Amino acid sequence: MTVLIRLMLGSACRRALSAATLAGFVIATAAAGADRTVQTPSIFAPASAPAYAIRELTLIVFGITGVIFLVVAGLTVYAIMRFRRRRGDDGREPPQVYGSLQIELAWTVVPILIVVVLFLVTTRYIFAIEGRPPAPEALEVTIVGHQWWWEIRYPKLGIVTANELHVPLSDPARPTPTFLTLQSADVIHSFWIPQLAGKMDVIPNKTNRIWIDPQKPGGYVGQCAEYCGLQHAGMLLIVTVHSREDFAKWAAEQQAPARDDAGVRAGRELFSSLSCINCHAIRGTTANGVFGPDLTHLMSRWTIGAGVIQNTPENIRAWIDDPASLKPGALMPAMKLSRGDLDKVTAYLVSLR
Ligand code: CUA
């Protein structure tokens, strides 16, 4: 897991991620009522119907291409051994064969047939995955790719969050799939959670759809899979699959209005007077910007900057002070606040649980 996260996060971000941060991340995942560990996102460890189908197809393709490899490599090794130079060879060129209709037909028709078989098998799987209509009980989520984070909206539940997708477990006996509508606010991104579904491009001015039906509770990680600028590697996706009850609990918490803690009023007023509110929304306040992540329940998330750094008060303070020091290229400007104001705004944001 450590290796994976480090690979996923760009080298610039790696500096910001200490071993302690990673340990904290794994523990936080565990505390969320999920599995004890976050699984490595291998397509060979699927947990959702589209991912099972992709593994099946991969094994079929590996099987066919493996046989081809064995035949070709076997014949090559045989030819090398059987016809190698021996002592006493006369040094003449062996007989050359030109224009054999049989041989040429064989090496044209057989590969074409293999390609047709691979094409048909793949098409069958693609249609089987894409043809599934959204069931009435399906959860609808809209994901908007941004440079460089993921906006996550639950239109029917009235929830808006960022970078961390929460979905209910889908029991095969009583399926509750999640249908994702993918949109982009700027450039082409690609949504990919290897254990749950295939990759799907996230394209400006085009809406793509994908679905997942996670059959094992736990945490899953994914990553933007289409180069989208400097922080392409800083677009981590964290998925938590909850039991039905836990998901309802999470949704209720997210639906609650932002906390209005009297102790941090000064910070709240300061925040409302700053340009923060042009980009960020906090439900129930004058902050209703849409360019940056919704902060209504900021502290319910494990990371800030889409997986770049763990979500702690110290890191929030450092982020407000200068996001680029943690995530070079981040579009949020350094807020240039006085130390006192920085403390007030941090205290307010940290109260948003
Ligand atoms: Cu977004 Cu790569």
Side-chain angles (χ1 to χ4, degrees):
M1 180 63 191
T2 305
V3 171
L4 167 86
I5 294 283
R6 276 172 187 270
L7 282 174
M8 286 179 140
L9 304 169
S11 61
C13 314
R14 242 176 266 157
R15 272 177 281 127
L17 261 181
S18 64
T21 314
L22 288 161
F25 173 71
V26 175
I27 291 162
T29 313
D35 272 354
R36 284 280 118 188
T37 53
V38 176
Q39 295 147 39
T40 307
S42 160
I43 65 159
F44 293 104
S48 164
Y52 281 114
I54 289 169
R55 180 179 63 175
E56 224 172 85
L57 177 61
T58 306
L59 292 177
I60 292 171
V61 172
F62 270 179
I64 294 174
T65 51
V67 169
I68 296 171
F69 172 79
L70 287 179
V71 169
V72 172
L75 287 175
T76 306
V77 169
Y78 172 78
I80 289 169
M81 303 299 287
R82 172 82 177 72
F83 300 107
R84 70 184 185 279
R85 182 199 287 266
R86 289 197 170 84
R87 210 170 297 153
D89 277 353
D90 54 14
R92 268 182 303 163
E93 200 177 15
Q96 302 293 299
V97 181
Y98 292 103
S100 163
L101 188 63
Q102 275 165 323
I103 292 177
E104 286 182 6
L105 271 181
W107 69 44
T108 306
V109 172
V110 172
I112 287 176
L113 287 178
I114 294 169
V115 170
V116 167
V117 168
L118 289 174
F119 173 79
L120 291 178
V121 174
T122 308
T123 312
R124 194 164 156 255
Y125 275 91
I126 291 174
F127 278 103
I129 294 171
E130 295 199 341
R132 175 166 178 172
E137 66 278 11
L139 176 67
E140 284 286 344
V141 181
T142 301
I143 305 232
V144 185
H146 291 258
Q147 283 177 316
W148 290 276
W149 59 283
W150 303 96
E151 177 182 341
I152 301 175
R153 298 181 162 267
Y154 297 72
K156 286 183 195 157
L157 300 177
I159 296 170
V160 184
T161 183
N163 306 322
E164 296 171 20
L165 175 66
H166 292 252
V167 296
L169 186 70
S170 184
D171 180 354
R174 221 175 115 206
T176 44
T178 299
F179 278 73
L180 305 164
T181 299
L182 305 176
Q183 295 169 340
S184 170
D186 37 47
V187 299
I188 302 177
H189 302 271
S190 180
F191 182 87
W192 191 31
I193 303 160
Q195 289 176 277
L196 301 183
K199 275 179 201 168
M200 182 63 81
D201 272 7
V202 180
I203 301 170
N205 298 317
K206 178 171 167 47
T207 294
N208 276 336
R209 296 268 287 168
I210 195 171
W211 62 275
I212 54 175
D213 65 340
Q215 293 161 15
K216 295 173 197 160
Y220 300 91
V221 285
Q223 165 65 27
C224 180
E226 175 79 35
Y227 182 71
C228 56
L230 188 61
Q231 284 293 345
H232 159 64
M235 284 186 74
L236 190 71
L237 270 159
I238 302 169
V239 184
T240 306
V241 176
H242 298 276
S243 68
R244 210 173 285 247
E245 302 72 42
D246 286 348
F247 179 74
K249 203 168 136 244
W250 174 83
E253 283 165 10
Q254 294 290 316
Q255 283 167 331
R259 277 172 208 248
D260 184 11
D261 192 338
V264 294
R265 276 286 155 74
R268 178 181 159 143
E269 271 155 30
L270 181 59
F271 183 87
S272 307
S273 72
L274 294 168
S275 55
C276 309
I277 59 172
N278 296 333
C279 292
H280 294 284
I282 297 177
R283 241 181 312 128
T285 74
T286 49
N288 58 5
V290 292
F291 297 109
D294 186 297
L295 304 178
T296 309
H297 295 288
L298 172 66
M299 295 315 286
S300 69
R301 306 201 281 260
W302 300 322
T303 74
I304 43 181
V308 159
I309 196 161
Q310 204 189 357
N311 188 3
T312 64
E314 303 76 57
N315 290 341
I316 285 184
R317 192 175 186 282
W319 181 273
I320 302 167
D321 194 35
D322 185 11
S325 67
L326 301 167
K327 190 172 184 176
L331 297 186
M332 175 174 154
M335 291 310 290
K336 302 209 164 51
L337 303 177
S338 68
R339 298 294 102 180
D341 285 354
L342 195 53
D343 288 337
K344 280 185 206 153
V345 172
T346 305
Y348 171 53
L349 293 182
V350 168
S351 77
L352 302 173
R353 289 187 296 277

